[in-house]
Amino acid sequence: MRTLSPALLAHLQGDVRTICTLWTITRKDGLVLGFTDLDRDLSFNGLVYRSTGGYTHSGIEAGSTLSTSNLEMQAIFDSSAVTRADLEAGLYDFAAVTIQLVNYLDLTMGALQLNGGLLGQVQILNGRYTAELRGLAQVFQHDAGSVYSPTCRATFGDSKCQFDASTVTYAGTVASVNNSISFIDPSLTQTGPTTSVIDVDGHFIPTRTPFTIQIVPPNGGAFASNNGVRDTSANYWSLVGGTPGDKQYNLAAGGLYTFSGGFNPGAFVYIDYSYTAGYFAYGRIKWLTGLNAGLRSQVKAFAPGVVTIALALPNAIQAGDTYSITAGCDLQPGTCSTKFNNLIHFRGEPFIPGQDVMISPKG
């Protein structure tokens, strides 16, 4: 229930109203900014609300149900307080927002809070940006609790994972830059272990030539070795060097499995295998110096001495930039065991049969 002072209520009920909205934004880094749709700056409760005539917002819709609020704000880059670099760096993602209404000719009347919540998706296009406001009811749209998953549900290094990520965090310096997302640091010589994958999703053998299944390891890894092919009855098929027969298969380099076109088209099989991935692949980088100091990046791929990040940074990476980089985890049980010796804290269920097995007829 909204409350407002009797003076502001009387003003709103009058024929002539001198009102404006005040947006208070608290970024993730703690910086508090104020904006108003008035044609001049306004000081209220110790905060200066900047006038940015280049922004508009949609009507505010709210009700007594738990449906999410419907509000969107559009603006152009005409304020030094909001920059493209800060938006692209994610400093405004999930920023806390409070929207108030005041009488700008008499601020002693107090304020009426119209809405509040968190900033959601921010889109940038042709010198302007659009941000959606997710109301407090948005929290009730999230799933509560955990669901079964063949991969780990923990975030590497958090309280559920319980692995000390500082033991696999290293300092580095950019030696040279390949492009906007790739750079070279010869000091990074780490290599990743071979990881085993237990297939719980399964594959259908194609019903037409060439009756092949190509294995694509998760997270950009490279196929290393075959660990067996089994059917829904947990019977293992035989690996042969020539043309496969019934319940047989042939394996080519790179993880290409060929099955019998005369006996097994349409059959459902599970393929277990091992793969290798870069030591820092899907890890994290924190930039310490340079134009991107304080920002973080996700590592997409890694080969000794060469780092590729997932998304380009707001500012160009430059030789001499220093950073800290943490090893990556692809959330597979083999990685948890082989790379980090942390299988006891693995938060997944890789041995639960997939949906196809669970709903298939038995008999």
Side-chain angles (χ1 to χ4, degrees), residues 317-361:
I317 302 172
Q318 297 178 338
D321 289 353
T322 61
Y323 61 90
S324 63
I325 184 170
T326 302
C329 179
D330 58 12
L331 308 181
Q332 297 290 335
T335 301
C336 188
S337 174
T338 306
K339 189 173 182 179
F340 302 110
N341 192 27
N342 194 44
L343 190 60
I344 191 173
H345 296 127
F346 183 75
R347 299 285 179 150
E349 295 77 28
F351 301 106
I352 292 180
Q355 184 176 7
D356 294 292
V357 175
M358 298 183 71
I359 66 176
S360 63

Side-chain angles (χ1 to χ4, degrees), residues 92-320:
Y92 287 88
D93 293 347
F94 307 108
V97 179
T98 301
I99 306 175
Q100 298 173 298
L101 181 145
V102 298
N103 175 5
Y104 59 82
L105 292 183
D106 188 356
L107 297 177
T108 62
M109 292 183 177
L112 168 64
Q113 181 165 332
L114 299 178
N115 208 335
L118 302 175
L119 281 184
Q121 184 178 10
V122 178
Q123 297 179 340
I124 303 174
L125 180 64
N126 296 331
R128 66 181 178 87
Y129 58 92
T130 302
E132 64 176 4
L133 176 64
R134 299 175 178 175
L136 298 178
Q138 179 75 24
V139 177
F140 294 100
Q141 304 295 319
H142 298 168
D143 294 333
S146 300
V147 296
Y148 288 113
S149 169
T151 56
C152 185
R153 295 183 299 276
T155 299
F156 181 61
D158 69 3
S159 59
K160 294 181 179 179
C161 170
Q162 298 189 37
F163 184 85
D164 184 3
S166 65
T167 61
V168 289
T169 299
Y170 304 86
T173 303
V174 177
S176 60
V177 178
N178 292 326
N179 50 53
S180 62
I181 61 172
S182 178
F183 64 89
I184 295 176
D185 183 353
S187 69
L188 300 179
T189 59
Q190 294 84 350
T191 57
T194 299
T195 299
S196 299
V197 173
I198 300 171
D199 187 5
V200 296
D201 296 321
H203 309 265
F204 280 104
I205 297 174
T207 57
R208 61 182 63 185
T209 185
F211 311 109
T212 59
I213 296 175
Q214 175 64 60
I215 293 300
V216 180
N219 304 329
F223 182 86
S225 63
N226 167 55
N227 293 338
V229 175
R230 49 195 166 85
D231 57 26
T232 55
S233 298
N235 297 315
Y236 279 87
W237 292 13
S238 301
L239 173 64
V240 297
T243 302
D246 185 24
K247 296 185 179 179
Q248 295 179 342
Y249 63 95
N250 178 280
L251 177 59
L256 181 64
Y257 289 75
T258 302
F259 297 87
S260 171
F263 292 96
N264 306 125
F268 194 76
V269 294
Y270 297 93
I271 301 176
D272 300 331
Y273 62 93
S274 297
Y275 72 98
T276 58
Y279 186 80
F280 294 105
Y282 293 82
R284 302 186 300 270
I285 292 178
K286 180 178 180 180
W287 297 94
L288 304 178
T289 62
L291 300 177
N292 298 297
L295 302 184
R296 299 177 184 270
S297 298
Q298 295 288 330
V299 180
K300 178 181 180 181
F302 173 77
V306 182
V307 180
T308 302
I309 59 177
L311 295 173
L313 290 160
N315 304 297
I317 302 172
Q318 297 178 338

